[in-house]
Amino acid sequence: MRTAALRAPAPSGLTPAAIGRAATLALHDELSLTPKPGLVTLIDAGSHEDMDAHTFLRSLFSLRRYFARIAEAGERGADFALLEQCGIAAEARMLAATGGVNTHRGAIFMLGLLCAAAGAVCRERGTAPQPQRLRDALRRHWGEALAARSLRPPRLPGGIAARRHGLRGASEEAAGAFPILFETAVPALTQALARGLTPTQARLDTLFHIIAVLDDSNLAHRGGLDGLRWAQRTARAFLDRGGIARPEGLREAHAISEDFVRRRLSPGGAADTLAAACWVRRVSAGA
Ligand SMILES: CC(C)(COP(=O)(O)OP(=O)(O)OC[C@H]1O[C@@H](n2cnc3c(N)ncnc32)[C@H](O[C@H]2O[C@H](COP(=O)(O)OP(=O)(O)OP(=O)(O)O)[C@@H](O)[C@H]2O)[C@@H]1O)[C@@H](O)C(=O)NCCC(=O)NCCS
Ligand SMILES: Nc1ncnc2[nH]cnc12
């Protein structure tokens, strides 16, 4: 029998397997949300010629063990170097599954760190990890390493664009323990559901809240600073008009998505942050 099956579940009942499963489900929640500005859904490829839903599903399948594995590493108190090795191996499996297309590199980084933090919290606290505890664990265990890492010269197009424009890319966001995730995305999703929006409506409104404030390096890479600022203004205006929960909300969301595609803009960082917000709600509720 697998050793994992012999392990007494963490006092909270949130085993690394449950933490990891929540990450896979959250990434599927994001992929299946439609319409999404410029992003891949189950029915269209958005602003992408190089990937579609099948690419994302193959990528998700290749990551099916990674999130549980990195949660287990966090539960054991692994240092950042070990997490990074886990992430690099997962990126290699993703690229092998997608034929070299970058579907989830940012999600491997962001959700990988969050799963590791959840593993640490479950072992230390014996409770379902609440947002603030997750954030504290990120800072306490890997804050210094993430801060040092964010000073390294970026090697990816998004990170290079972010550095050029003085933006907070994925590495800087992680070094701050994901402020947009915990201060914008999770509250927006929670409040939308509390207002009675359906899960789909709440996720869509939350995506617009994230696009309106995130320094999404994918947008900066593809559209420059003008493209990023146009996307942020467009998302903010949609929300100021009342967001998705209006008779004309869905039609407007489709029209905005067509504008993003015309400009070849794709907010991949916002998509990952939405998935992470869905994941935070799942694990905080005990997965
Ligand atoms: C740590 C890395 C993520 C690299 O660090 P860097 O800071 O250089 O990262 P960025 O380039 O800024 O962003 C990398 C990906 O992270 C997502 N993202 C973008 N902006 C943000 C943000 N502000 N906050 C959080 N996350 C952000 C985004 O990922 C998603 O989009 C990608 C798919 O979209 P697409 O447009 O197709 O992207 P490309 O193919 O690159 O562009 P095109 O050619 O199509 O135009 C996909 O990755 C989504 O997940 C950014 O792309 C990390 O890469 C790294 O160094 N990894 C090494 C392993 C490691 O350290 N792992 C740690 C495990 S805990
Ligand atoms: N659905 C999606 N489309 C394009 N890029 C993404 N990055 C993460 N999710 C994505």
Side-chain angles (χ1 to χ4, degrees), residues 138-217:
L138 279 170
R139 291 190 177 108
R140 209 162 3 95
H141 291 277
W142 307 293
E144 273 181 40
L146 287 167
R149 192 177 191 292
S150 70
L151 301 175
R152 281 188 210 163
R155 56 187 185 80
L156 291 170
I160 292 165
R163 188 63 59 89
R164 181 184 321 123
H165 298 300
L167 302 172
R168 213 168 58 191
S171 295
E172 290 78 15
E173 198 66 18
F178 301 116
I180 302 287
L181 169 63
F182 289 106
E183 296 166 23
T184 297
V186 172
L189 184 56
T190 302
Q191 288 154 26
L193 290 166
R195 287 204 316 270
L197 271 61
T198 65
T200 297
Q201 289 176 322
R203 288 170 190 156
L204 195 63
D205 250 29
T206 301
L207 180 60
F208 277 99
H209 275 282
I210 298 166
I211 295 170
V213 296
L214 187 75
D215 281 353
D216 195 316
S217 68

Side-chain angles (χ1 to χ4, degrees), residues 27 30-33 36 38-41 44-48 51 56 102-107 218 266-272 275:
L27 287 171
E30 180 278 305
L31 175 64
S32 55
L33 181 67
K36 287 194 299 269
L39 293 162
V40 172
T41 73
D44 81 62
S47 302
H48 295 273
M51 56 191 190
F56 272 85
N102 168 22
T103 42
H104 286 120
R105 178 174 273 137
N218 294 60
S266 174
D272 287 347

Side-chain angles (χ1 to χ4, degrees), residues 91-147:
E91 275 184 34
R93 282 196 301 278
M94 172 199 77
L95 292 172
T98 63
V101 174
N102 168 22
T103 42
H104 286 120
R105 178 174 273 137
I108 287 169
F109 178 63
M110 181 179 199
L111 264 172
L113 281 168
L114 288 163
C115 285
V121 171
C122 287
R123 184 54 57 197
E124 293 159 3
R125 311 279 311 172
T127 58
Q130 297 309 304
Q132 195 50 50
R133 296 262 185 242
L134 287 166
R135 212 171 176 193
D136 293 344
L138 279 170
R139 291 190 177 108
R140 209 162 3 95
H141 291 277
W142 307 293
E144 273 181 40
L146 287 167

